[in-house]
């Protein structure tokens, strides 16, 4: 079995992979849902849009479920603390997600304009709200979350729901929403033709530029802001979990320290810019599949930048910095991490292979003619 320190780092990477996988796979579904009421001008056009993601959205949702399960199993203290502090925010995500299965399955069952338009906006909520809230959550993580532990390591959150909606967190929410909508617009341009394709391409350019501008503004804010955390005591990466056995201080600009200690990590934020610009150029030229790959890499860069900047922190505490949760002290036992790693190495390739096969089988353009031919079976 791998040593404990190595397993801790591996699971930090794997949780990151699951979050990125969720953003790429379920993200383009949500981006399409966000654009649905605006890019589709008629009922038939909206049915075309829905059918680009209808066969796949529920399978892609597995990335979200798996990511949450992995955090619960690998980082139980993070799971407990985050779901205490972000309880109402997570409920808002779940309430928004409720619109998706019902909307996809029942939207076109009744030939009534009011019924269908209502579910179109329901799918918009299900696509737009989760990325916004996840971005706000990341913005709060970068600033530090107001929580602490008692002597029994029971977490107590001392903030409020409205406190989560601070200016920097809302900016991070804009980054996330623009990124996901940009990604979804490129996918929609790839899977459609005619007016829908042209509108999707324009939307991709707008949201791609917004993503890069907001991401840059967030970076400047982090560099010049008043938040950042650093471990100032000696830690043993192989020690048993104990989040209170270290000393942490709040240091403005500390989130840039990793780039100074390991300059190679600069490749992550650079990837966000290079891939983002490449995706914009490619979608403008009509090379939609290549643009989709580039926007996927941009997502890796954006989310990876937050992870690399905060490492080894996972959930810093603004009210009790020493209680901040890190890769080293918020994890499960060595045996748990080892067993989970074996399961991941077995099942993740199967999931990726099946997903790839499903997309290959159901590839190609979705057209109005297809909707007419499959009036009773299409979404």
């Amino acid at each position: 079995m791998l040593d404990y320190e190595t397993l801790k780092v591996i699971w930090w990477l794997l949780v990151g992979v699951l979050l990125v996988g969720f953003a790429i796979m379920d993200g383009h579904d949500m981006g399409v849902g966000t654009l649905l009421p605006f890019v589709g001008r008629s009922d038939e056009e909206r049915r075309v849009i829905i059918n680009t993601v209808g066969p796949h959205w529920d399978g892609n949702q597995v990335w979200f479920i798996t990511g949450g399960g992995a955090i619960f199993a690998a980082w139980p203290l993070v799971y407990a603390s985050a779901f205490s502090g972000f309880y109402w925010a997570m409920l808002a995500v779940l309430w928004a997600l409720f619109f998706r299965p019902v909307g996809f399955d029942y939207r076109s069952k009744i030939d009534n304009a009011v019924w269908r338009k209502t579910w179109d906006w329901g799918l918009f909520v299900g696509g737009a709200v989760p990325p916004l809230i996840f971005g706000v959550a990341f913005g709060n993580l970068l600033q530090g979350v107001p929580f602490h532990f008692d002597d029994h390591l029971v977490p107590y959150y001392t903030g409020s729901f409205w406190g989560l909606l601070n200016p920097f967190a809302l900016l991070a929410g804009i980054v996330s929403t623009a990124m996901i909508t940009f990604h979804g617009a490129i996918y929609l341009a790839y899977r459609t033709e005619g007016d829908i394709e042209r509108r999707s391409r324009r939307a991709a350019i707008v949201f791609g530029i917004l993503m890069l501008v907001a991401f840059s503004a967030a970076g400047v804010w982090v560099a010049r802001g008043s938040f950042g955390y650093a471990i100032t005591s000696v830690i043993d990466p192989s020690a048993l979990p104990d989040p209170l056995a270290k000393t942490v201080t709040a240091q403005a600009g500390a989130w840039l320290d990793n780039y100074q200690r390991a300059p190679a990590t600069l490749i992550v934020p650079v990837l966000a810019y290079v891939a983002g610009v490449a995706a914009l150029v490619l979608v403008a030229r009509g090379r939609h599949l290549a643009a989709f790959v580039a926007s996927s890499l941009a997502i890796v860069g954006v989310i990876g930048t937050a992870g690399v900047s905060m490492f080894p922190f996972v959930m810093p505490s603004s009210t009790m910095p020493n209680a901040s949760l890190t890769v080293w002290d918020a994890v499960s036992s060595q045996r748990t991490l080892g067993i989970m790693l074996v399961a991941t190495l077995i099942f993740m390739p199967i999931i990726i292979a099946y997903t790839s096969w499903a997309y290959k089988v159901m590839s190609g353009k979705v057209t109005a003619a297809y909707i007419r031919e499959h009036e009773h079976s299409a979404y």
Side-chain angles (χ1 to χ4, degrees), residues 304-347:
T305 297
V308 170
S309 299
M310 292 178 61
F311 185 86
F313 289 92
V314 177
M315 188 174 177
S317 170
S318 59
T319 53
M320 185 181 180
N322 290 351
S324 297
L325 299 174
T326 73
V327 171
W328 313 124
D329 55 30
V331 297
S332 294
S333 68
Q334 183 175 2
R335 175 168 292 185
T336 298
L337 296 182
I339 293 173
M340 288 172 55
L341 178 60
V342 172
T344 301
L345 293 176
I346 293 173
F347 290 106

Side-chain angles (χ1 to χ4, degrees), residues 45-171:
E45 287 185 347
R46 291 180 178 181
R47 289 193 71 183
V48 168
I49 292 170
I50 290 171
N51 276 272
T52 63
V53 297
H56 304 290
W57 76 269
D58 48 355
N60 293 335
Q61 197 85 33
V62 171
W63 288 91
F64 176 54
I65 299 170
T66 305
I71 293 174
F72 170 77
W75 295 341
L77 285 176
V78 173
Y79 185 90
S81 303
F83 277 76
S84 296
F86 300 151
Y87 182 76
W88 287 108
M90 291 299 103
L91 276 183
V93 169
L94 292 176
W95 289 334
L97 291 176
F98 289 161
F99 287 106
R100 301 183 77 205
V102 185
F104 280 119
D105 286 340
Y106 292 105
R107 185 261 182 202
S108 299
K109 299 297 184 184
I110 299 177
D111 188 8
N112 178 278
V114 175
W115 169 270
R116 293 187 175 186
K117 186 172 291 186
T118 299
W119 284 115
D120 289 341
W121 285 104
L123 289 171
F124 165 79
V125 171
V129 171
L132 176 64
I133 292 181
F134 289 139
V136 167
F138 266 94
N140 280 280
L141 288 176
L142 285 163
Q143 294 176 92
V145 181
F147 76 96
H148 64 276
F149 291 107
D150 64 13
D151 293 337
H152 302 287
L153 292 183
V154 176
Y156 291 90
Y157 177 73
T158 56
S160 66
F161 171 78
W162 299 112
L164 298 174
L165 304 178
N166 57 78
F168 178 78
L170 291 174
L171 176 59

Side-chain angles (χ1 to χ4, degrees), residues 142-144 222 225-230 248-256 313 316:
L142 285 163
Q143 294 176 92
V222 168
S226 59
F227 45 86
Y229 295 84
V248 175
T249 59
Q251 296 181 8
W255 293 146
L256 302 181
F313 289 92

